[in-house]
Amino acid sequence: MSRAISKSVSRGVDWLTVSLYAILVCIGIVCIFMTEYNPSTFTASSFFQGQTNYSKQLLFAGLSTIAATFIILSDSKLYPTFANLLYVFGILLMLSVFVLGKNVNGSKSWIPLGGGFNLQPAELCKIFTALALAKYLSQLNMDFSRLQSQLIAGGIAMLPAAISVLQNETGLALVYLSFFIVMYREGLPGIILVIGFSFGALVVATLLVEKNTLAIILTLIAGLIVFIFRHKIFVRKRWNILILIISVWFVCVGIQRFIVPYIFNNVFECYQSQRIYSAVGKDYDCSQNKHSIAHEEATGKAAIKPDDYNVRQSKIAIGSGGFRGKGFLKGTQTRGRYVPEQSTDFIFTSLGEAFGFIGSFLFLAVYFLLLLRLIFLAERQRSGFSRIYAYSVASILFFHIVVNVCMTIGLFPVIGIPLPLVSYGGSSLLTFTIMIFIMIRLDADRQMVLR
């Protein structure tokens, strides 16, 4: 009887995905242990006392295992049925932070649960947003080529992002942009992504190139395009092409001369602007920042200019690992705690220092296999709901991995997002566990069409 129950529970479960998940969770606990290990105080029982981050992460892993088991035993039909209700609940939970929340590292996005544990609703809302987006895009009468449908889908993704920005959680807000990858897979016009990437490239160019020089370069590019299309414009009298080129040139020059400086000086805090400038090797003048000026007027003291200490120490730690690494528990930078937040946002530094390029490559290969497996699972779904949800999970994981790793090696501004399943944190681990195992549950019933 017990064998029959076991077979019915595990039928259809993708154990390769489960195995990759378990490997990453174990790697995370090992990395957290490396950052906190102290030979003078360490005992075997410290793993179970809940006094250290690695023991707490082990507890979080146990709770996540229980959650994963409940999800595997659940009915797949529950997720499309309650998708919209869960999304509304997630939004309300995020809004409740403004009343019940507390400040942690400058952001008011946490709800205290007692016992030293906190809940970050913006993390959980990623699951609810993925379910709601999958529910909306999998409707029978859905025509995603219509602008109205695209705006509604974009609104579903961007509403929690907007609330995250108000909670000073810019990093988590950016994660919600990963849903546009899913929308592109479902038919979002590629021109929208091109415009998005072009805007990003223009912002970077604005930071790197002197404004008058960049304006001249943009003018030359516009003139070159007019020259290329001169026959259509002047011979065939296609004046709409000329108007479009001039309009795009005008918008680009306006962005680089007015909008980008305004955002950095009036919207971003000084430390946020400095982080972005540091990522491109530039220095930001905080005396131009509205928030720094207000701070100086209110206190009579100039705001302390932030530096890129975190990133510099992170690069030193990873670089010191070399090709083969220094070995387990032998990382001087990690053991010396030179890298701030090295068990959370900068957890990758401990692995890079201890196991070097080889270890880092193998570690990232596990992530790569997980992403490939999720895409494979997505493409074999009969249900549009399951496929869209699977792509949402893969996109969120991809965004987190790329941004976090690039952040630790100085290729992306420090925005404070965790490395999936590896960084310390109960909210993060539980969120990714639920997200992945809902996909595993849906895949187990992949022959079923869910809406």
Side-chain angles (χ1 to χ4, degrees):
M1 176 70 72
S2 61
R3 185 177 297 178
I5 294 174
S6 176
K7 280 187 176 181
S8 64
V9 170
S10 62
R11 186 184 295 118
V13 172
D14 188 72
W15 291 107
L16 177 57
T17 304
V18 175
S19 300
L20 293 171
Y21 161 85
I23 290 170
L24 288 168
V25 172
C26 291
I27 290 174
I29 294 173
V30 170
C31 288
I32 296 167
F33 176 72
M34 287 193 296
T35 65
E36 292 203 332
Y37 174 73
N38 187 338
S40 61
T41 59
F42 172 74
T43 60
S45 61
S46 65
F47 265 101
F48 309 100
Q49 292 174 348
Q51 302 298 317
T52 60
N53 283 345
Y54 56 81
S55 63
K56 289 180 181 177
Q57 191 74 355
L58 190 63
L59 173 62
F60 295 147
L63 293 174
S64 296
T65 302
I66 295 173
T69 303
F70 273 107
I71 293 170
I72 292 296
L73 295 173
S74 67
D75 188 344
S76 299
K77 296 178 182 178
L78 291 172
Y79 302 108
T81 301
F82 292 100
N84 293 335
L85 188 62
L86 287 171
Y87 179 75
V88 173
F89 170 74
I91 295 298
L92 293 176
L93 196 62
M94 290 186 70
L95 292 174
S96 70
V97 170
F98 294 107
V99 179
L100 305 174
K102 70 173 185 177
N103 281 296
V104 177
N105 295 329
S107 64
K108 191 174 182 180
S109 60
W110 299 83
I111 297 177
L113 300 178
F117 298 101
N118 302 298
L119 174 68
Q120 192 172 29
E123 281 281 359
L124 277 176
C125 203
K126 290 186 292 189
I127 306 171
F128 305 148
T129 303
L131 290 170
L133 189 64
K135 173 78 172 180
Y136 177 71
L137 293 180
S138 62
Q139 295 179 97
L140 278 175
N141 58 346
M142 172 54 58
D143 181 7
F144 202 49
S145 63
R146 294 167 53 209
L147 179 61
Q148 181 183 358
S149 301
Q150 296 167 7
L151 290 175
I152 293 174
I156 292 172
M158 289 298 100
L159 178 56
I163 300 174
S164 293
V165 171
L166 295 176
Q167 295 171 353
N168 204 21
E169 275 290 355
T170 310
L172 275 176
L174 289 176
V175 173
Y176 286 90
L177 293 175
S178 60
F179 288 110
F180 283 94
I181 301 175
V182 183
M183 294 181 213
Y184 176 70
R185 167 62 179 82
E186 295 303 312
L188 186 71
I191 187 63
I192 295 178
L193 294 182
V194 170
I195 293 172
F197 283 118
S198 298
F199 177 78
L202 182 59
V203 171
V204 173
T206 303
L207 303 183
L208 291 173
V209 183
E210 194 273 329
K211 61 179 181 180
N212 292 326
T213 304
L214 182 57
I216 293 171
I217 293 172
L218 291 171
T219 303
L220 292 174
I221 293 173
L224 178 62
I225 295 173
V226 170
F227 178 78
I228 293 172
F229 290 95
R230 66 188 184 282
H231 183 74
K232 288 185 178 181
I233 296 173
F234 301 109
V235 177
R236 298 185 181 179
K237 309 296 184 182
R238 300 284 294 275
W239 303 116
N240 58 324
I241 298 177
L242 181 62
I243 293 172
L244 177 62
I245 294 171
I246 294 174
S247 300
V248 172
W249 170 85
F250 182 80
V251 169
C252 290
V253 172
I255 288 173
Q256 64 99 192
R257 293 187 73 90
F258 303 108
I259 295 178
V260 172
Y262 178 84
I263 291 173
F264 278 90
N265 294 333
N266 296 274
V267 178
F268 291 161
E269 297 280 352
C270 177
Y271 74 91
Q272 294 173 322
S273 298
Q274 177 62 31
R275 285 176 177 178
I276 297 172
Y277 269 76
S278 296
V280 296
K282 294 287 186 177
D283 195 39
Y284 176 71
D285 183 6
C286 284
S287 65
Q288 301 179 15
N289 189 274
K290 182 187 75 172
H291 302 286
S292 294
I293 295 171
H295 178 272
E296 186 174 353
E297 291 175 349
T299 63
K301 298 179 181 179
I304 299 174
K305 184 176 180 178
D307 60 17
D308 58 349
Y309 174 82
N310 292 26
V311 177
R312 283 190 283 110
Q313 292 298 327
S314 174
K315 290 194 286 187
I316 290 171
I318 294 173
S320 66
F323 188 72
R324 298 175 59 184
K326 293 180 177 178
F328 182 64
L329 296 180
K330 295 181 180 179
T332 53
Q333 298 295 118
T334 299
R335 294 284 303 282
R337 302 193 179 188
Y338 291 104
V339 183
E341 309 295 339
Q342 61 181 1
S343 63
T344 52
D345 298 340
F346 287 86
I347 190 71
F348 184 69
T349 59
S350 62
L351 188 142
E353 184 181 24
F355 303 109
F357 174 80
I358 296 176
S360 300
F361 177 81
L362 293 175
F363 168 68
L364 293 176
V366 177
Y367 270 134
F368 183 68
L369 289 174
L370 178 60
L371 290 173
L372 283 182
R373 190 62 185 174
L374 287 174
I375 293 172
F376 172 78
L377 297 186
E379 289 298 333
R380 74 179 184 182
Q381 303 303 310
R382 287 187 61 196
S383 169
F385 176 88
S386 301
R387 183 188 68 250
I388 295 164
Y389 178 79
Y391 269 106
S392 297
V393 176
S395 298
I396 292 169
L397 284 170
F398 174 76
F399 189 93
H400 269 268
I401 296 163
V402 171
V403 170
N404 184 278
V405 173
C406 289
M407 186 177 73
T408 60
I409 59 178
L411 295 180
F412 199 87
V414 178
I415 59 174
I417 65 172
L419 196 57
L421 307 174
V422 175
S423 290
Y424 168 76
S427 290
S428 174
L429 180 58
L430 187 61
T431 296
F432 284 111
T433 299
I434 294 172
M435 192 182 295
I436 291 171
F437 276 86
I438 287 177
M439 180 60 252
I440 292 172
R441 176 67 264 170
L442 293 175
D443 178 68
D445 291 329
R446 57 186 171 273
Q447 300 303 323
M448 187 185 302
V449 177
L450 302 171
R451 291 191 178 89

